[in-house]
Structure formats: structure tokens, C-alpha cells
Amino acid sequence: MGILSIRSSFCFFALVFVAHGLLLTLSTASESEVRDETPFTYIEGTGKGPKGWGQIDPHWRACSTGKLQSPIDLLDERVQVFPNLGKLKRDYKPAPAIVRNRGHDITVMWKGYAGQININGTYYKLLQCHWHSPSEHTFNGSKYDLELHVVHLSSHGEIAVIGIVYKYGRPDPFLTKLLEHIKVVRKEDRDLGVINPGIIKFGSRKYFRYIGSLTVPPCTEGVVWTIIRKVRTVSREQVEALKEAVHDGYEANARPTQRLDRRAVSLYTPRDNGGAA
């Protein structure tokens, strides 16, 4: 790829980043995803499915009218290799956590300082993680069996999410530690004690980067997405436990892919060892 195309790609990426504004208030960002799933579903034809989310609540208009919506299909032909994005820097710490059944998903929330990630010099503190089945992001049109979203927040209220997709295979170590709690969590939060988020394995230094949105109402835009390129593995038992724990009708809790709308999607590939990672 030529230097000119890399520079133009970076400029477009930066313009999109600034033009749509990432400055959310801390309170808005931390409570940005709905806690109660009652107003929306993932089933079309109910009047509350993904195509109609933007009409359910005036604050959810972005779900229908937004131009930076997530998830997206990560097509090789659309992705531009951009080594200057740099290695994803994370510095996670063990901290007290709880598991919460939000009805539409299962969420692990850290109650203390659980570390942070660094993206282009901005630090984002780890808040929570949750799962979607099947995967929301797709690779060249292919869906996978599960997707983990690890949610972070900067001191200015900017949201950054790391996404990891999984296919059936060996059990995932992080879910293995949580499985017995997930199987029994209902209306009341369950205390997990101290949980080390470092257990979450990435498995690769390669990742995709783009600007998108939350994938549930209110579909807030300006989210910095980092999708790990490697597809990891999860056991069927682990996925079934997540499906059985959520409320009826939310076993398949993946929003369909959204239009890219000329957004830049970059791929970070390390330069060393011929780009292998």
C-alpha cells in the first residue's frame, strides 16, 4: 500500500472521528446501554426488532438514522493495512466484580479499578464486558458462535470497545472461571470476588479498528472499536449457559450488520517477523 493512500486513509479516519464527536458525559457513557430489555427485542415482526429500534424511543433515533452504526462486516477488500496504529496496549488489574443478568445479555462489571487500555495516547478504564450470540461482527460475511465486548471509558467520556469472536472448540478460560455463576444469576447481581481481566485472551496482536456505535439502544455513535482478528474458541456448554441465563426471546442477541457508509476500516499488522502475529 502506498504512503499516500495510508495518509489519506488516516486523514479520513481522523475526520470521521472528530466530525461526529466522541465527548459523551461520564454519566451518559456509563449508563449508555439500556439495563432493561423490555422495550426492544431481536425479533423482527414484533414492532420492537432491530429495524424498529429507532422508532421506539426518541433518544434511540441513531439506531435508524445514524451513519456510524455497529456491528459491520469486516471485508478483506475494504480493509486498509495500517501498521502505524501500533500495538494494542492494555494494563489490566485484578479487582472486585459482579455478574449481572440484564435480560438481553450477561454482563461482568468491575466495581474497583481494573486497569485500562491505551489507544493513541488516550487511556480508557475498563468498566465491564458482556456476550452476544451469535457474533455481531462478521468476517467476510461469516458469523461465528459468540462475541465478547470489553467496554472501556476515558476520563472525557469516550467509549472504546474491544471485540473478540469465538467458534466452537476448546473452552474459553475466562468463561470457565465464571460459568457456575452465570448458570444461576437471575434478578440479583452475584458477587464474583476479585476477577483478573487479564484472563481474557486475545490470541493475536492483529486487530481491526473503526469508528462505530453501541450495538444496543440507544446506539450511541463515536465508539472506538477494536476487533481482534483471531477467532478464538468456546465450548458449546459455555454458549448454552449464556443463552439459558438470559430472558426468553433473547437467546439470539446479535444485532444485524449495519451499512459501512464510506467509513475507513484499518487493520493493524505488526511489522516484525514478516507481519506474523
Side-chain angles (χ1 to χ4, degrees):
M1 178 185 213
I3 293 176
L4 182 60
S5 62
I6 289 178
R7 286 178 176 169
S8 62
S9 167
F10 178 78
C11 289
F12 176 75
F13 181 76
L15 284 171
V16 170
F17 199 99
V18 173
H20 290 266
L22 295 180
L23 294 181
L24 308 170
T25 64
L26 281 168
S27 59
T28 299
S30 61
E31 296 295 332
S32 53
E33 292 185 338
V34 290
R35 283 195 57 177
D36 182 356
E37 82 288 350
T38 304
F40 77 95
T41 74
Y42 288 91
I43 304 170
E44 297 295 1
T46 61
K48 297 181 179 180
K51 290 181 180 178
W53 287 353
Q55 285 74 53
I56 296 174
D57 185 313
H59 297 99
W60 298 0
R61 287 197 189 98
C63 299
S64 295
T65 63
K67 301 298 183 184
L68 299 176
Q69 289 294 292
S70 296
I72 61 171
D73 183 27
L74 296 159
L75 280 172
D76 286 344
E77 60 198 54
R78 292 179 185 166
V79 171
Q80 296 178 321
V81 178
F82 194 13
N84 291 338
L85 281 173
K87 181 182 177 181
L88 183 61
K89 301 173 183 176
R90 60 173 176 164
D91 182 21
Y92 290 156
K93 309 288 185 184
I98 57 100
V99 62
R100 173 174 295 169
N101 189 334
R102 298 195 294 184
H104 64 281
D105 70 18
I106 301 300
T107 300
V108 171
M109 305 181 72
W110 279 270
K111 294 300 186 179
Y113 175 68
Q116 60 193 5
I117 59 173
N118 180 348
I119 298 177
N120 298 328
T122 298
Y123 290 93
Y124 299 81
K125 291 183 180 179
L126 174 62
L127 294 182
Q128 53 106 325
C129 67
H130 59 269
W131 293 265
H132 295 268
S133 179
S135 71
E136 295 198 301
H137 288 86
T138 56
F139 292 174
N140 297 306
S142 295
K143 265 191 181 295
Y144 291 89
D145 299 301
L146 188 71
E147 183 169 337
L148 172 66
H149 292 166
V150 190
V151 183
H152 307 75
L153 187 70
S154 79
S155 59
H156 297 294
E158 302 164 342
I159 303 171
V161 183
I162 298 174
I164 307 171
V165 299
Y166 300 80
K167 62 182 178 181
Y168 288 137
R170 294 170 62 88
D172 172 61
F174 185 53
L175 274 170
T176 295
K177 187 172 184 63
L178 304 172
L179 198 60
E180 295 309 310
H181 295 281
I182 289 172
K183 287 180 177 180
V184 296
V185 66
R186 295 296 181 261
K187 291 184 178 180
E188 300 297 324
D189 297 344
R190 284 185 63 86
D191 185 10
L192 297 174
V194 174
I195 295 293
N196 182 4
I199 300 172
I200 300 172
K201 302 300 182 184
F202 290 1
S204 173
R205 289 182 293 167
K206 297 180 182 180
Y207 63 80
F208 299 99
R209 170 73 48 74
Y210 78 99
I211 302 300
S213 73
L214 298 177
T215 64
V216 297
C219 306
T220 306
E221 297 191 323
V223 175
V224 183
W225 277 96
T226 301
I227 307 295
I228 305 302
R229 188 175 185 182
K230 182 179 178 65
V231 178
R232 296 193 57 80
T233 61
V234 64
S235 72
R236 290 180 183 272
E237 179 192 6
Q238 291 174 332
V239 174
E240 288 305 311
L242 290 166
K243 289 182 177 181
E244 290 175 8
V246 296
H247 293 182
D248 291 345
Y250 294 88
E251 295 86 353
N253 61 350
R255 187 189 191 191
T257 53
Q258 305 295 299
R259 298 185 307 273
L260 188 60
D261 281 336
R262 298 174 60 86
R263 276 177 283 175
V265 180
S266 301
L267 171 65
Y268 169 69
T269 302
R271 287 195 181 97
D272 56 313
N273 297 325

